Amino acid sequence: METLELTQEEQFQARIDADVRIEPKDWMPDAYRKTLIRQISQHAHSELVGMLPEGNWITRAPSLKRKSILLAKVQDEAGHGLYLYSAAETLGASRDQMLADLHSGKAKYSSIFNYPTLSWADMGCVGWLVDGAAILNQVPLCRTSYGPYARAMVRVCKEESFHQRQGFEIMQTLCEGSPEQKAMAQEGLNRWWWPTLMMFGPKDSESPNTEQSMKWRIKRFTNDELRQKFVDMMVPQAEFLGLTVPDPNLKWNEAKQGYDFGDVDWEEFWNVVKGNGMCNQERLQARVQAHEEGAWVREAALAHAEKRKQREAALVAA
Amino acid sequence: MSQKEWPLWEVFIRSKQGLDHKHVGSLHAADAEMAIQNARDVYTRRLEGVSIWVVESKHVHASNPDDSAAFYEPANDKIYRHPTFYQVPDSIKHM
Ligand SMILES: [Fe+2]
Ligand SMILES: [Fe+2]
């Protein structure tokens, strides 16, 4: 029998192919580590910035029940950010550095959060569509090759389904309400539909890293596959609500057992990615401001902990 | 602005009375008390736990995955440590 000498990288790939999870102290190619840090921290940033458009409505929710639900959802998103930052830290990234990159504009976050939330129906649309799209992206990542990332995603996914349901319930309530409420729901869908389709990222033909990411199993479906799944999932739900999906090219295709749909406005997509969306500046500014205004709290807590440590040490010495 | 990060803590949660504490993740906090409070807020928002342990991450010592072969191999050939190694006559019950 001939002996097979595998390189470190081949052994690594063999483990991934066998669906063995990679853990923090295991050897991994530099590019795998770097790609993961970028992907996980971008995801974490999205959770963090994602709190802002919904935070906008907490004080204006139409009832105490809705307010409590929205607060709980926004709090979950903060938690999701934390799970993900922690996962990135196991790869050697520093929390401060990741935040600095977000605040300087160097790091990206999901473009969807650069759109404004103008009406209460937008809280419905964000939960129903945006969290719905996030779930499609995230469920396959529960089986991603990097252990801490996969475990964080399991936790996130458990919490996301409540997010989508509360959004759908807001939409359903509006759609069963007055004509004005129904119109508000339709207007929300009109604004959110296309930006949500953009959440899945550029077309496969323009996503050069997809192949390597699929090979490493840090991505398990292509952008276009997920976009198709999303449309097929959401159209019947919109029909149930009595809402019209704002796409004249939307049509059931019997042969592929899925919907054909129009092309996303990619110019708008790239424009928002490059920082020129409606709220890019506002979001980043709000984030930086929150961080800076919290600086004294972080410093005071450290000083307090330090003082207490010294006091305890003095007690022991005495 | 201070560049000093709050230390990192590992969080362990007992999901219900009678079960072990299990590692659930990590977080930053200035001290143990804050770590426990943050762990409560982050990891037990849906009744996931009845008890929380936090340990500063720098105090965790781990085995080295590169040594795995040498470290765990000695158990490989000791199949007599498992009950299935032994043949019990059919007529013997309750064993
Ligand atoms: Fe989330
Ligand atoms: Fe969510």
Side-chain angles (χ1 to χ4, degrees):
Chain A
M1 210 176 87
E2 65 180 308
T3 46
L4 259 162
E5 277 293 338
L6 294 182
T7 65
Q8 220 167 11
E9 185 139 4
E10 285 165 339
Q11 285 178 32
F12 172 83
Q13 189 59 48
R15 291 182 68 186
I16 289 187
D17 293 341
D19 250 331
V20 175
R21 296 281 185 271
I22 307 302
E23 294 295 343
K25 284 174 169 267
D26 294 340
W27 183 88
M28 62 186 82
D30 269 349
Y32 176 84
R33 185 186 299 275
K34 271 200 198 124
T35 307
L36 263 181
I37 289 178
R38 200 188 53 226
Q39 180 174 331
I40 299 174
S41 60
Q42 266 181 22
H43 191 165
H45 298 331
S46 303
E47 303 284 352
L48 211 59
V49 178
M51 290 191 283
L52 297 171
E54 288 180 301
N56 183 32
W57 280 89
I58 289 175
T59 54
R60 290 179 286 158
S63 68
L64 182 58
K65 175 186 138 188
R66 293 290 179 203
K67 185 174 179 163
S68 311
I69 292 173
L70 190 56
L71 263 174
K73 179 188 189 286
V74 171
Q75 194 188 6
D76 275 354
E77 305 300 3
H80 297 175
L82 183 129
Y83 306 150
L84 288 158
Y85 282 126
S86 299
E89 286 176 279
T90 65
L91 290 159
S94 112
R95 177 82 59 100
D96 276 355
Q97 188 57 49
M98 287 187 277
L99 286 176
D101 288 347
L102 169 65
H103 296 158
S104 72
K106 186 180 162 209
K108 299 272 175 252
Y109 55 86
S110 179
S111 282
I112 193 74
F113 303 117
N114 290 317
Y115 289 84
T117 44
L118 304 176
S119 76
W120 175 249
D122 289 12
M123 294 304 96
C125 288
V126 169
W128 174 43
L129 298 172
V130 175
D131 285 88
I135 291 172
L136 268 188
N137 256 325
Q138 291 167 359
V139 167
L141 293 178
C142 296
R143 294 181 297 122
T144 198
S145 61
Y146 187 57
Y149 188 24
R151 293 192 285 276
M153 292 318 302
V154 168
R155 210 168 277 286
V156 167
C157 286
K158 267 190 201 155
E159 302 183 349
E160 286 294 353
S161 58
F162 134 64
H163 297 179
Q164 196 188 17
R165 284 179 187 203
Q166 64 85 36
F168 185 80
E169 196 189 72
I170 291 175
M171 294 305 275
Q172 196 184 349
T173 307
L174 289 174
C175 289
E176 289 166 359
S178 67
E180 289 83 359
Q181 286 174 313
K182 175 120 191 222
M184 190 198 275
Q186 180 64 55
E187 196 267 332
L189 176 59
N190 292 348
R191 279 183 294 109
W192 288 95
W193 178 256
W194 291 106
T196 308
L197 291 193
M198 294 177 199
M199 283 175 70
F200 298 100
K203 277 193 245 200
D204 291 351
S205 54
E206 279 163 43
S207 178
N209 301 327
T210 294
E211 199 188 328
Q212 180 62 67
S213 291
M214 302 266 286
K215 200 174 155 218
W216 279 334
R217 300 199 182 169
I218 56 180
K219 189 168 179 164
R220 311 214 56 159
F221 293 98
T222 72
N223 298 352
D224 287 336
E225 282 168 352
L226 289 171
R227 200 167 4 248
Q228 179 71 53
K229 264 194 197 194
F230 180 77
V231 173
D232 292 343
M233 205 174 83
M234 299 316 276
V235 172
Q237 296 181 13
E239 278 169 3
F240 174 91
L241 292 171
L243 296 175
T244 309
V245 173
D247 179 357
N249 295 311
L250 185 76
K251 205 172 139 232
W252 177 253
N253 180 329
E254 188 61 31
K256 79 170 182 191
Q257 286 293 299
Y259 287 89
D260 290 331
F261 54 98
D263 206 13
V264 167
D265 181 349
W266 294 112
E267 208 183 306
E268 177 182 325
F269 171 79
W270 289 113
N271 199 37
V272 182
V273 169
K274 283 182 192 130
N276 307 316
M278 269 181 274
C279 299
N280 293 58
Q281 276 195 326
E282 188 187 327
R283 299 291 184 237
L284 218 50
Q285 206 184 332
R287 181 85 268 296
V288 170
Q289 190 185 341
H291 190 71
E292 284 174 355
E293 287 177 356
W296 71 270
V297 179
R298 294 190 294 276
E299 283 164 23
L302 265 185
H304 175 70
E306 192 50 43
K307 201 164 89 184
R308 201 149 73 170
K309 214 185 278 172
Q310 282 174 5
R311 209 181 293 145
E312 274 160 24
L315 264 177
V316 172
Chain B
M1 201 181 87
S2 155
Q3 281 302 304
K4 209 173 159 214
E5 273 184 10
W6 285 348
L8 190 66
W9 301 75
E10 300 302 319
V11 180
F12 300 81
I13 292 197
R14 185 201 295 288
S15 58
K16 72 181 217 208
Q17 219 53 19
L19 296 181
D20 295 323
H21 284 77
K22 203 177 143 208
H23 183 247
V24 294
S26 53
L27 49 77
H28 289 269
D31 57 22
E33 194 186 330
M34 185 196 277
I36 288 175
Q37 275 169 4
N38 288 355
R40 190 269 320 264
D41 289 344
V42 176
Y43 293 106
T44 65
R45 287 198 302 281
R46 291 176 176 78
L47 306 172
E48 289 96 337
V50 295
S51 165
I52 298 173
W53 287 352
V54 294
V55 180
E56 222 182 309
S57 308
K58 69 177 181 197
H59 295 310
V60 175
H61 301 263
S63 62
N64 183 348
D66 295 338
D67 300 337
S68 286
F71 205 60
Y72 300 108
E73 227 155 54
N76 270 350
D77 57 357
K78 299 183 178 57
I79 46 172
Y80 45 81
R81 284 175 171 169
H82 299 275
T84 45
F85 177 72
Y86 303 90
Q87 288 214 327
V88 178
D90 284 346
S91 58
I92 298 297
K93 305 291 177 206
H94 309 298
M95 188 181 280

